[in-house]
Amino acid sequence: AERTWRWCKRKPALAAVFSLSLILLLLLGIGGPIIAVQQSRAAKRARDAELEAEREKEQSVRVASRSREQAVYAVELYEQLANATLVNAAVDDSEKIGVQWGLANIYSIVERYGDAERLLREITARLPKDEEKASILSELAFCLTEQKKFGEAETVLVECIEIRRTLTPDDWRIHTYSSMLGAAKMKQGNLEEAEQDLLDAHRGILALQDTIPIEVRFNRVIASYDRIIALYALTHESLAETRWREKRSGFMDSHRSSK
């Protein structure tokens, strides 16, 4: 040990290199395995997380697939029922219309909007201008909108509003349909008329909101706000868009506080 010490004093630079090398070897000898263990654990956690994510993804796919299969099966059953009803001479026309309407609703739920449109057009062609026809026309307009047939939707909504105004001039649905009409015009680029329709419809909806059934009231009012906001976003009127977003937030706050 004493000889080593004297050697270190004679060759301090070389002794320092040896010392650093020794320290490095010790660090590698002790720290290396620790780091390796930590890396191994981290890698295992990453693999476990990846496997869990993959299992969740597979589960989601299975659930979605099962839901689609059930929906397809339900549609097939209702189609069989509808076909049997439509060829039954003992069933009167009003009942057949009800069955067709129900099938059209199912088509709409599963996003078969083209099939729903076909049935709804068949029904409306056989109905007089009454409240039932107005309701079916509104559903037809929705299916057309989902298919981006905005011009056809506009035509249908005009007829729907005309029937409602003739039969029930104070009905809140007139303003809901007018809001949908404004949105259809907006999609076609008729922005000036769209703005007027949307604003007038919104005022009407707010004025009659207490007469709207409570289960659909919130959604109808919010949809009206959203269409106006979409219009001002489209026309890049940021101040108007911000103002209407604030109004929408205020309505939502009021709705939450009233619960």
Side-chain angles (χ1 to χ4, degrees):
E2 184 179 350
R3 187 182 303 168
T4 302
W5 175 248
R6 286 198 301 270
W7 182 84
C8 290
K9 289 180 70 176
R10 287 198 308 272
K11 301 179 181 293
L14 192 58
V17 171
F18 283 135
S19 299
L20 288 173
S21 299
L22 181 60
I23 292 171
L24 181 59
L25 286 170
L26 287 171
L27 288 174
L28 289 174
I30 298 172
I34 293 174
I35 293 171
V37 169
Q38 291 175 337
Q39 288 177 336
S40 176
R41 289 175 177 172
K44 185 178 183 302
R45 285 196 298 269
R47 286 195 301 273
D48 290 345
E50 186 177 349
L51 288 172
E52 181 64 25
E54 189 64 28
R55 281 194 293 269
E56 290 180 0
K57 181 180 178 181
E58 289 175 359
Q59 178 67 14
S60 298
V61 169
R62 283 196 296 271
V63 170
S65 177
R66 194 179 305 119
S67 298
R68 283 194 297 270
E69 290 171 0
Q70 290 172 344
V72 169
Y73 182 63
V75 170
E76 289 176 352
L77 283 178
Y78 204 99
E79 284 175 332
Q80 292 172 13
L81 171 64
N83 291 333
T85 303
L86 294 175
V87 298
N88 189 340
V91 178
D92 63 35
D93 195 52
S94 63
E95 290 183 31
K96 290 179 180 179
I97 287 174
V99 170
Q100 283 184 298
W101 193 356
L103 181 56
N105 282 329
I106 295 220
Y107 283 149
S108 182
I109 290 169
V110 297
E111 299 182 356
R112 289 174 56 177
Y113 298 115
D115 290 328
E117 176 194 347
R118 173 180 54 79
L119 280 177
L120 293 171
R121 286 191 184 279
E122 288 179 12
I123 296 169
T124 55
R126 301 186 345 242
L127 288 175
K129 291 189 174 182
D130 56 11
E131 289 193 37
E132 184 179 33
K133 182 168 186 172
S135 296
I136 296 174
L137 284 171
S138 70
E139 293 185 24
L140 175 57
F142 171 78
C143 291
L144 291 167
T145 298
E146 290 300 307
Q147 297 176 86
K148 297 182 170 35
K149 298 179 179 180
F150 302 115
E152 294 178 50
E154 178 181 348
T155 301
V156 169
L157 284 164
V158 167
E159 182 181 2
C160 177
I161 292 167
E162 178 187 327
I163 293 172
R164 284 287 179 196
R165 281 182 174 155
T166 300
L167 298 176
T168 51
D170 296 326
D171 196 319
W172 60 269
R173 283 169 288 198
I174 292 171
H175 305 292
T176 295
Y177 302 153
S178 296
S179 181
M180 293 170 63
L181 176 61
K185 290 179 179 179
M186 175 179 65
K187 292 294 186 179
Q188 297 174 84
N190 190 351
L191 301 180
E192 187 174 342
E193 284 189 23
E195 181 180 29
Q196 191 63 55
D197 286 344
L198 290 170
L199 294 176
D200 288 346
H202 185 75
R203 283 190 288 268
I205 290 170
L206 289 185
L208 296 174
Q209 64 176 306
D210 289 342
T211 67
I212 301 174
I214 193 163
E215 62 270 16
V216 298
R217 184 183 303 163
F218 176 80
N219 289 339
R220 296 296 185 272
V221 177
I222 285 296
S224 177
Y225 276 115
D226 287 342
R227 291 177 185 126
I228 294 171
I229 291 168
L231 171 71
Y232 290 128
L234 181 65
T235 57
H236 305 291
E237 297 179 61
S238 57
L239 290 177
E241 181 186 352
T242 299
R243 185 171 70 251
W244 280 95
R245 286 188 183 281
E246 291 171 351
K247 288 182 179 182
R248 183 186 188 279
S249 296
F251 172 77
M252 292 188 69
D253 290 341
S254 175
H255 175 76
R256 281 192 290 264
S257 63
S258 66
K259 285 187 175 181

